[in-house]
């Protein structure tokens, strides 16, 4: 069974610049109804124009279900989705939206938990969007936290003024013009003598550096949580041969050749699977694994989730064995 997500017809109720090249869109249901609930870290799949879907993190207030808020960075060298948003989407534009979906959920134990973790948030540029509601949630919960926010310049860093004004010394801001560079060694939460939870969203280089730092500093498993906007680099697949995929619910068995994805072959077989990014970053095509060994090539699941082998992203991940059985 694939993930079921609500599809909602929405209207842009406000659009305004919140930083250089960043536009904030406020979206409301076209029929005025209340929207599905979400938690910090969630994103929407937005059809920005016919056949073009993009994922945007929700950055507003989860308790306000009359509207969703997303911020979109103009990326002149991107695939065109953000340019379309900046040039054609205005107040009153209708948009089709799917979600919310959350593969970057903030884990915030109940207030009665004896040893609450210290939270470390790391954001690069537009990567602040999923982090913003997390920061508000931990600040409201009264637990200890710190935010490290890096960008090319203050003008290009959405919400930076609001964050500094609201949270003062919890927030460290890094820009080349100010001569401040983010030092990963300072991210351990200083001398805190309790568990640390690290949440990071930003450019690929920032995430890769943080991952290597976490490995070399031997952070306990489950400490680091990453949200990727771009697919991580992966090596050649471990299997170069075709493999079989049995679709348990549909009763079909398909053969996936080396040059095609499971998603493509399954779609050709007439089985409906939701998908969006088709590059392993959004989580929309997540599919339960019944049996067989998976070579996980996505940028969504944590190492522990990949090891559990319970689900896979069939747009990029492949079999590491001759036959997989999927709940499709
Ligand atoms: S479609 Fe986005 S992860 Fe597969």
């Amino acid at each position: 069974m694939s993930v079921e997500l609500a599809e909602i017809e929405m209207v842009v109720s406000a659009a305004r610049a919140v930083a250089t090249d960043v536009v904030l869109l406020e979206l409301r249901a076209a029929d005025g109804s209340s929207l599905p609930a979400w938690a910090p870290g969630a994103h929407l799949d937005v059809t920005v124009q016919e056949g073009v879907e993009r994922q945007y993190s929700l950055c507003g207030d989860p308790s306000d279900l009359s509207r969703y808020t997303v911020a979109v960075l103009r990326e002149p060298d991107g695939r065109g989705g953000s340019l379309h948003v900046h040039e054609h989407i205005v107040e009153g534009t209708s948009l089709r939206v799917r979600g919310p979906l959350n593969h970057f959920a903030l884990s915030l134990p109940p207030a009665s938990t004896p040893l609450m973790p210290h939270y470390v948030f790391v954001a690069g540029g537009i990567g602040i969007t999923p982090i913003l509601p997390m920061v508000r949630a931990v600040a409201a919960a009264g637990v200890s936290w710190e935010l490290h926010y890096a960008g090319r310049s203050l003008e290009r860093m959405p919400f930076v003024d609001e964050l500094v004004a609201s949270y003062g010394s919890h927030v460290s801001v890094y820009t080349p013009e100010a001569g401040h560079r983010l030092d990963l060694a300072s991210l351990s939460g200083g001398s805190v003598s309790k568990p640390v939870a690290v949440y990071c969203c930003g450019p690929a280089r920032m995430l890769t550096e943080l991952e290597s730092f976490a490995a070399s500093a031997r952070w306990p498993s489950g400490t680091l949580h990453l949200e990727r906007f771009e697919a991580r680099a992966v090596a050649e697949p471990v299997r170069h041969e075709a493999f079989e995929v049995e679709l348990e619910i549909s009763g079909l068995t398909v053969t996936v050749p080396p040059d095609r994805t499971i998603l493509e072959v399954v779609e050709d077989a007439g089985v409906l699977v939701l998908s969006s990014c088709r590059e392993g970053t959004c989580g929309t095509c997540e599919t339960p694994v019944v049996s067989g060994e998976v070579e996980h090539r996505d940028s969504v699941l944590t190492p522990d989730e990949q090891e559990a082998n319970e689900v896979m992203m069939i747009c990029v991940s492949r079999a590491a064995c001759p036959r997989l059985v999927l709940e499709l």
Side-chain angles (χ1 to χ4, degrees):
M1 189 176 64
S2 59
V3 180
E4 293 293 338
L5 294 173
E7 190 162 274
I8 314 164
E9 296 296 332
M10 305 197 79
V11 175
V12 177
S13 54
R16 66 174 194 279
V18 286
T20 301
D21 285 342
V22 179
V23 65
L24 188 87
L25 302 178
E26 211 178 83
L27 310 171
R28 294 177 189 263
D31 63 4
S33 58
S34 185
L35 298 166
W38 62 280
H43 72 261
L44 300 175
D45 289 343
V46 180
T47 302
V48 296
Q49 65 184 124
E50 215 39 58
V52 179
E53 269 190 27
R54 292 292 181 267
Q55 291 73 46
Y56 298 118
S57 297
L58 286 161
C59 59
D61 175 2
S63 69
D64 178 2
L65 296 179
S66 68
R67 61 187 168 166
Y68 288 153
T69 307
V70 298
V72 181
L73 170 68
R74 179 190 185 94
E75 294 179 275
D77 300 326
R79 292 169 295 159
S82 74
L83 288 184
H84 184 86
V85 170
H86 276 256
E87 287 163 16
H88 299 284
I89 293 184
V90 294
E91 197 176 317
T93 303
S94 298
L95 289 173
R96 215 165 54 248
V97 165
R98 208 166 47 211
L101 187 66
N102 199 341
H103 280 283
F104 186 47
L106 173 71
S107 172
L108 190 56
S112 55
T113 306
L115 195 57
M116 289 292 275
H118 174 78
Y119 288 84
V120 178
F121 300 103
V122 185
I126 195 67
I128 193 65
T129 49
I131 300 288
L132 186 63
M134 293 187 179
V135 161
R136 291 182 183 136
V138 294
V143 298
S144 63
W145 64 278
E146 60 194 66
L147 166 65
H148 300 265
Y149 183 12
R152 281 161 54 192
S153 68
L154 289 176
E155 296 71 35
R156 304 187 67 82
M157 296 170 70
F159 315 116
V160 68
D161 293 340
E162 169 193 333
L163 284 161
V164 171
S166 302
Y167 304 117
S169 61
H170 287 278
V171 180
S172 300
V173 175
Y174 307 87
T175 61
E177 62 192 4
H180 296 147
R181 197 175 182 283
L182 178 55
D183 174 13
L184 295 180
S186 70
L187 295 184
S188 62
S191 55
V192 292
S193 53
K194 52 179 168 179
V196 172
V198 182
Y199 291 79
C200 175
C201 182
R205 204 183 65 191
M206 171 184 269
L207 303 184
T208 305
E209 281 179 14
L210 191 50
E211 256 182 334
S212 332
F213 182 80
S216 64
R218 297 181 189 275
W219 286 358
S221 160
T223 300
L224 182 59
H225 308 261
L226 302 175
E227 169 89 322
R228 292 179 189 277
F229 290 149
E230 304 154 50
R232 67 187 169 93
V234 285
E236 280 287 296
V238 292
R239 263 184 84 80
H240 293 283
E241 309 89 346
F243 55 89
E244 286 192 336
V245 179
E246 181 183 330
L247 312 178
E248 197 182 54
I249 297 173
S250 319
L252 298 172
T253 297
V254 294
T255 301
V256 180
D259 60 342
R260 304 202 70 205
T261 67
I262 298 177
L263 177 62
E264 289 168 343
V265 174
V266 165
E267 284 176 335
D268 283 358
V271 175
L272 177 69
V273 185
L274 290 181
S275 65
S276 182
C277 70
R278 302 177 85 91
E279 58 178 23
T281 56
C282 74
T284 305
C285 70
E286 180 179 294
T287 301
V289 177
V290 178
S291 65
E293 196 188 338
V294 176
E295 184 198 357
H296 291 282
R297 301 171 64 79
D298 65 274
S299 306
V300 178
L301 298 175
T302 64
D304 287 348
E305 288 169 334
Q306 292 187 343
E307 200 170 328
N309 210 49
E310 289 170 356
V311 294
M312 69 184 293
M313 304 303 151
I314 61 170
C315 63
V316 290
S317 294
R318 307 187 66 77
C321 61
R323 186 179 176 91
L324 280 180
V325 182
L326 302 180
E327 197 179 306
L328 268 181

